[in-house]
Amino acid sequence: MMKGKEGCPQEGTVQIENQCARIHTRKYIYVQDANIRQVFLFFRQPAMRNKSNMTPTERRASLSLAGIFGLRMLGMFIILPVFALYAVQLPGGGNKTLVGLALGIYGLTQALLQIPLGWLSDRIGRKPVIIGGLLVFAMGSFVAAGAHTLNGIIVGRAIQGAGAIAAVLIALTADLTRPENRTPAMAMIGVTIGLSFTASMAFSPMLYPMIGVPGLFVLTGVLALTAIAVTRWVVPNPPNLVAMDRVSFGAVLSNVELLRLNLGIFVLHSSLMATFMVVPAALVQGGLAQPDHWKFYIPVMIVSFILMVPPVAFAHGKWRKQVFLGALVVVLLSHFLMHFALGKVWGTAIALTVFFTGFNVLEASLPSLVTLVAPPNAKGTATGVYSTTQFLGTFSGATFAGMLTQHFGSEVVPFFTAGITFLWLVVAWPMNVNKPVVP
């Protein structure tokens, strides 16, 4: 029998820990794949990392930046399960359009400032912009905590959103990791965001009776200040940027595959915010008191996370597109289930579990796909546009859901989310992400 190059019996195999293992697919995955599966392979199969082993600095950078993302997203998500119920106690809280604006205005100011702050970080450095953005976010949190009217909370949320550093964090991750290790680094961030959301759904209903929404806003401010300390003393300093031929902004905006992905993150976060305009009240209507909502959210998030793992395990190589579109169909199905489930606790639990199963897969996949598709010298611009559309989706979803609830009732909101998700499915169907852009 012929031996492979590493002393194994056939071509395409290597000797690993005294055993022969096929590596041709996994080697391709580690160099090129843009999926969350990288993070599972990275931690579970250390022997497969020979070609793209992270240095200690890269590992510290990836974990610390994922932590900053997590702290900041926890601060953003933690009011979602309780805010719609709290707002009705405030002057003007009966106006669902204003309630939606209070949730969504954060996304609008985020969207407006992602690209300018990304540009600024190219000029003065990533860390100063990140620290400044976290300070602004903390200030907005404390303003919202001290507000006694819905309009005051809207002002505080708008200031929170002005700390628009998501694109800068992604750019710093790219600065601190080599191309072959960028995908697992992005996957760590995706997993952390998912865990932050899960923690928010679990702890927010438990904390609300004790500290109220003002206390939750104070907590978000404290988390932002903690993230500043991590940025200052834990995140490695980035190297000096090497000048490259710049790709025009128009070229990024005209990239068809990036446009598909940008539409996707817009729709995904629109659907998320719209859903949480109606779910808390639906649970109360179904007989589940607000202090007990954590008993609802924890099982939903745990089950959806478990159900997410199998599709993620196949989300690589030739299966990348199929898994992506499959998750999108799952999200679409969840919106129809939600329409028939509103007012029924068990039905809402099933619909929300289905939603988050698809949501978790898509939320982790989209940013990695952006870095895969974008030209190597336009990743910063591409992630800036991506983050802008994400937060425009946050603003639009909450605002439109508030208007629809105000004028037509909450039962029409799932039709709105189903409609925009179906549009995304049609646009995404011919996507071509199986041929990576080689740096």
Side-chain angles (χ1 to χ4, degrees):
M1 185 177 295
M2 294 184 63
K3 299 287 185 180
K5 293 183 180 180
E6 304 292 337
C8 289
Q10 38 180 307
E11 186 68 25
T13 61
V14 293
Q15 192 79 20
I16 297 175
E17 295 180 352
N18 299 320
Q19 297 181 6
C20 292
R22 296 191 64 81
I23 66 161
H24 65 286
T25 55
R26 284 194 173 95
K27 181 171 71 173
Y28 173 80
I29 291 166
Y30 247 102
V31 174
Q32 300 289 7
D33 200 1
N35 259 282
I36 189 178
R37 187 169 189 268
Q38 310 310 307
V39 79
F40 289 99
L41 287 175
F42 181 80
F43 285 113
R44 290 176 56 196
Q45 301 188 41
M48 303 305 293
R49 300 198 304 249
N50 294 336
K51 293 295 184 180
S52 57
N53 191 33
M54 278 191 172
T55 66
T57 299
E58 287 178 317
R59 193 174 297 110
R60 178 161 64 99
S62 300
L63 292 172
S64 58
L65 288 170
I68 293 171
F69 253 109
L71 289 171
R72 189 168 169 279
M73 299 307 284
L74 182 64
M76 185 181 79
F77 290 143
I78 200 166
I79 70 165
L80 285 185
V82 297
F83 184 76
L85 297 175
Y86 169 75
V88 299
Q89 307 170 25
L90 299 173
N95 188 327
K96 299 301 181 184
T97 301
L98 276 182
V99 175
L101 182 62
L103 274 177
I105 191 68
Y106 173 93
L108 179 61
T109 50
Q110 280 274 331
L112 292 174
L113 292 173
Q114 287 292 335
I115 294 174
L117 290 183
W119 175 88
L120 183 63
S121 75
D122 288 336
R123 271 69 186 172
I124 69 172
R126 312 289 192 211
K127 278 194 171 185
V129 174
I130 291 171
I131 291 172
L134 289 169
L135 282 172
V136 171
F137 180 87
M139 180 174 68
S141 299
F142 297 133
V143 169
H148 302 291
T149 66
L150 202 52
N151 288 333
I153 291 178
I154 289 172
V155 172
R157 291 280 288 169
I159 296 172
Q160 276 186 319
I165 57 170
V168 182
L169 286 169
I170 293 174
L172 182 55
T173 304
D175 292 342
L176 292 171
T177 54
R178 291 167 292 165
E180 63 267 27
N181 289 328
R182 205 158 291 152
T183 292
M186 296 295 179
M188 290 182 199
I189 291 174
V191 169
T192 304
I193 291 174
L195 292 175
S196 297
F197 194 90
T198 302
S200 299
M201 297 300 102
F203 293 119
S204 179
M206 290 189 285
L207 291 172
Y208 176 62
M210 294 184 285
I211 61 177
V213 167
L216 293 177
F217 277 125
V218 171
L219 178 61
T220 65
V222 172
L223 290 173
L225 296 177
T226 303
I228 290 175
V230 175
T231 303
R232 177 65 181 83
W233 288 293
V234 180
V235 177
N237 291 318
N240 294 326
L241 298 178
V242 178
M244 299 178 66
D245 293 335
R246 295 186 182 274
V247 174
S248 69
F249 187 69
V252 171
L253 292 180
S254 62
N255 185 304
V256 175
E257 298 306 327
L258 287 176
L259 288 174
R260 296 186 210 275
L261 298 172
N262 290 335
L263 173 66
I265 196 63
F266 176 91
V267 170
L268 193 63
H269 278 253
S270 289
S271 300
L272 175 68
M273 298 302 289
T275 298
F276 276 94
M277 278 295 297
V278 299
V279 165
L283 295 179
V284 173
Q285 180 185 349
L288 186 64
Q290 187 282 320
D292 294 326
H293 282 195
W294 67 272
K295 300 175 183 177
F296 171 89
Y297 288 119
I298 289 179
V300 164
M301 299 309 297
I302 291 175
V303 172
S304 64
F305 188 82
I306 293 172
L307 292 176
M308 174 193 79
V309 174
V312 161
F314 287 95
H316 66 90
K318 67 178 182 178
W319 297 106
R320 183 188 296 118
K321 178 178 177 178
Q322 288 86 338
V323 170
F324 186 90
L325 294 177
L328 184 45
V329 171
V330 167
V331 170
L332 178 61
L333 173 64
S334 75
H335 297 316
F336 289 109
L337 292 175
M338 185 63 73
H339 171 73
F340 295 105
L342 287 178
K344 307 176 185 69
V345 174
W346 277 106
T348 303
I350 293 171
L352 205 60
T353 300
V354 173
F355 173 75
F356 276 116
T357 300
F359 177 92
N360 288 337
V361 175
L362 295 168
E363 179 75 11
S365 300
L366 279 165
S368 292
L369 288 172
V370 169
T371 61
L372 177 75
V373 171
N377 52 345
K379 292 187 188 295
T381 302
T383 55
V385 174
Y386 170 84
S387 296
T388 296
T389 53
Q390 172 185 341
F391 289 109
L392 280 175
T394 299
F395 168 72
S396 301
T399 303
F400 277 114
M403 293 172 61
L404 289 171
T405 302
Q406 177 74 19
H407 297 291
F408 303 103
S410 60
E411 64 273 7
V412 304
V413 173
F415 287 123
F416 161 68
T417 55
I420 59 176
T421 303
F422 180 75
L423 172 63
W424 177 18
L425 179 62
V426 171
V427 173
W429 196 265
M431 68 190 293
N432 178 22
V433 294
N434 284 325
K435 185 178 180 181
V437 176
V438 180

